[in-house]
Amino acid sequence: MTVSVHGTDSHAEVAPGDIAVGVVIGRASEYFDFFVYGIASALVFPSVFFPHLGKLEGTLWSFAIFALAFISRPLGTVLFMWIQRRWDRSTKLTIALFLLGTCTAGIAFLPGFAKIGALSLVLLSVFRLGQGVALGGSWDGLPSLLALNAPKERRGWYAMLGQLGAPVGFMIAAALFAYLSTALSRQDFLDWGWRYPFFAAFALNVVALFARLRLVVTHEYERELGEQQLEPTPVLELFQAKGRHVVIGAFAALASYALFHIVTIFPLSWIVLYSDQSVPQFLVVQIVGAALAAGAVVASGWIADKFGRPRTLAALAAAIAMFSGFAPTLLGSGELGQDVFILVGFILLGLSYGQAAGSVTANFGAKYRYTGAALTSDLAWLIGAAFAPLVALGLCAHFGLGFVGLYLLSGAVCTMAALGVNRMLKLRS
């Protein structure tokens, strides 16, 4: 595929590999920022911002604030789609990533409850809401462009590339926290050590901003995005024309999104509150799990190209449903069981999450794909992952670990049901 360059007769090819670079860079920086906050919610914020509460109550309130970004994310998507229609894509990205960096740096400098009292909670909430708005606004359309440019027989392979950002981002964030919590005393870590990962996230966002702008503002990419009709459409028009496909797409990925925080953020809080296992040691186990997840994400591309993405997602939803039956026993059986839960959970996460994004976005057609893909992802995060640490910890602390299994099972059932409805609609059309 070739596109005109600067209105001349010369042509430059837009290669899927070039698009993939922008997708991987953008997603890795976002996920690093995402996990820095998530890990801090379990390890740091209960002590820094909720010292006046018990450990469990402080962690639950910390997870409640954690969820705010997922609530504000769809609002950010809508707002910044308007900004792009009013100005252009580069303006939208610059404002969104500047907002993300500002909120991340603001958290890094934020005094704790001991110094400014309830104001610290208000500011933390505001910064978290801002992070969600910015993440919604940072949608650049490159994953959709990559999917449309990928060879038909290798769409599963190219679809997984952006998903690699999740395990890579988690490994870097977890490694930073593991090092700091080992190298510093507990008091130094809580006083100032936890802030360094937020500084690193801010720096990485700056680098990622320029890397992504270098791609999306070039004439070749602007032309290609325009030719593929990857431009924002009014949200009301989208829901009137394709609303059911937004809902189906959000629920089709639910098994992956439900598992996402159950193997990353929730277990950290459980270890801190109810286990004697060392936190740095547990983080190392999670880093190994994330490495396995990265390999599983890559493998998911090959599997999906061989068997088809809907079949792959359905089979993995069934696997997650089976895993949900063993999850409570593993988590409650000491260090070995907890480590097995993490490693197996990360492998299943990588295999399923590798194909979760955009699994049914072909339903939107060209006109609605840009906005539809963004809002589908936002709703999947909101429904499946936003409240997972809060709900899982609250229910398990009061009623037992069996509720972890129920939470995962509900996500798997929703995925299989959504894929079934999607198949039925296709057969009718």
Side-chain angles (χ1 to χ4, degrees):
M1 182 177 295
T2 57
V3 294
S4 173
V5 181
H6 300 298
T8 69
D9 293 331
S10 60
H11 289 76
E13 185 176 356
V14 178
D18 294 336
I19 306 170
V21 171
V23 172
V24 172
I25 290 173
R27 298 305 169 264
S29 65
E30 288 174 9
Y31 279 112
F32 175 68
D33 194 297
F34 174 95
F35 281 120
V36 163
Y37 190 99
I39 294 172
S41 292
L43 301 185
V44 178
F45 294 165
S47 297
V48 173
F49 295 104
F50 300 98
H52 54 296
L53 300 177
K55 289 185 178 180
L56 174 61
E57 290 76 13
T59 305
L60 291 173
W61 275 105
S62 178
F63 285 160
I65 294 177
F66 173 74
L68 292 178
F70 301 94
I71 297 172
S72 63
R73 186 168 176 163
L75 302 177
T77 295
V78 173
L79 171 63
F80 280 89
M81 289 291 179
W82 175 83
I83 289 174
Q84 182 175 339
R85 292 198 304 271
R86 177 65 177 81
W87 287 282
D88 55 38
R89 195 184 320 270
S90 61
T91 300
K92 180 188 84 165
L93 271 181
T94 302
I95 296 173
L97 292 176
F98 178 79
L99 176 61
L100 181 60
T102 300
C103 291
T104 301
I107 294 170
F109 287 107
L110 185 60
F113 187 90
K115 291 187 176 179
I116 60 174
L119 180 60
S120 67
L121 305 182
V122 174
L123 292 174
L124 181 64
S125 300
V126 169
F127 288 140
R128 187 58 179 162
L129 286 167
Q131 283 186 317
V133 170
L135 284 170
S138 65
W139 176 252
D140 52 23
L142 289 178
S144 295
L145 182 60
L146 178 60
L148 292 171
N149 277 272
K152 186 175 182 180
E153 69 280 2
R154 300 201 70 197
R155 284 178 180 169
W157 176 262
Y158 282 99
M160 67 84 186
L161 290 173
Q163 308 299 78
L164 274 173
V168 171
F170 182 82
M171 282 190 285
I172 299 171
L176 268 174
F177 275 98
Y179 170 75
L180 290 168
S181 59
T182 302
L184 301 174
S185 69
R186 175 67 176 167
Q187 191 59 47
D188 285 343
F189 177 68
L190 291 177
D191 284 345
W192 52 268
W194 66 270
R195 302 176 188 274
Y196 280 90
F198 285 88
F199 293 136
F202 173 76
L204 189 59
N205 280 328
V206 173
V207 173
L209 168 62
F210 287 104
R212 292 165 74 180
L213 286 177
R214 183 175 174 272
L215 285 170
V216 300
V217 303
T218 59
H219 186 78
E220 296 93 332
Y221 282 91
E222 285 288 351
R223 174 68 65 87
E224 182 63 15
L225 287 162
E227 288 181 355
Q228 296 287 0
Q229 299 184 55
L230 292 177
E231 299 293 339
T233 53
V235 174
L236 182 60
E237 180 184 339
L238 166 70
F239 274 93
Q240 287 174 340
K242 300 288 183 177
R244 65 182 181 181
H245 294 301
V246 173
V247 176
I248 290 171
F251 280 92
L254 219 58
S256 300
Y257 286 85
L259 184 58
F260 200 92
H261 285 152
I262 297 300
V263 296
T264 54
I265 308 304
F266 162 71
L268 274 174
S269 64
W270 191 260
I271 292 300
V272 170
L273 293 170
Y274 300 109
S275 173
D276 296 328
Q277 188 168 178
S278 159
V279 168
Q281 175 186 322
F282 189 73
L283 284 169
V284 170
V285 174
Q286 287 191 303
I287 292 168
V288 173
L292 294 175
V297 169
V298 175
S300 76
W302 178 83
I303 295 169
D305 285 334
K306 185 173 179 63
F307 299 103
R309 296 180 73 187
R311 287 183 180 178
T312 300
L313 280 175
L316 286 163
I320 291 171
M322 289 187 286
F323 178 66
S324 71
F326 297 97
T329 302
L330 291 172
L331 268 176
S333 57
E335 287 189 19
L336 179 60
Q338 291 161 358
D339 293 349
V340 171
F341 169 81
I342 291 299
L343 297 178
V344 174
F346 264 110
I347 291 171
L348 287 174
L349 176 63
L351 288 170
S352 59
Y353 190 68
Q355 298 302 313
S359 54
V360 296
T361 49
N363 293 335
F364 292 118
K367 180 179 180 181
Y368 298 106
R369 186 164 189 150
Y370 184 83
T371 306
L375 283 174
T376 297
S377 176
D378 293 344
L379 292 178
W381 280 113
L382 177 59
I383 298 168
F387 300 98
L390 175 64
V391 172
L393 179 60
L395 290 176
C396 290
H398 290 100
F399 305 108
L401 283 167
F403 281 89
V404 170
L406 287 176
Y407 192 91
L408 290 176
L409 181 61
S410 66
V413 169
C414 287
T415 288
M416 290 187 281
L419 291 172
V421 171
N422 186 60
R423 178 178 173 80
M424 185 174 62
L425 291 175
K426 281 188 174 181
L427 291 174
R428 287 182 179 177
S429 60

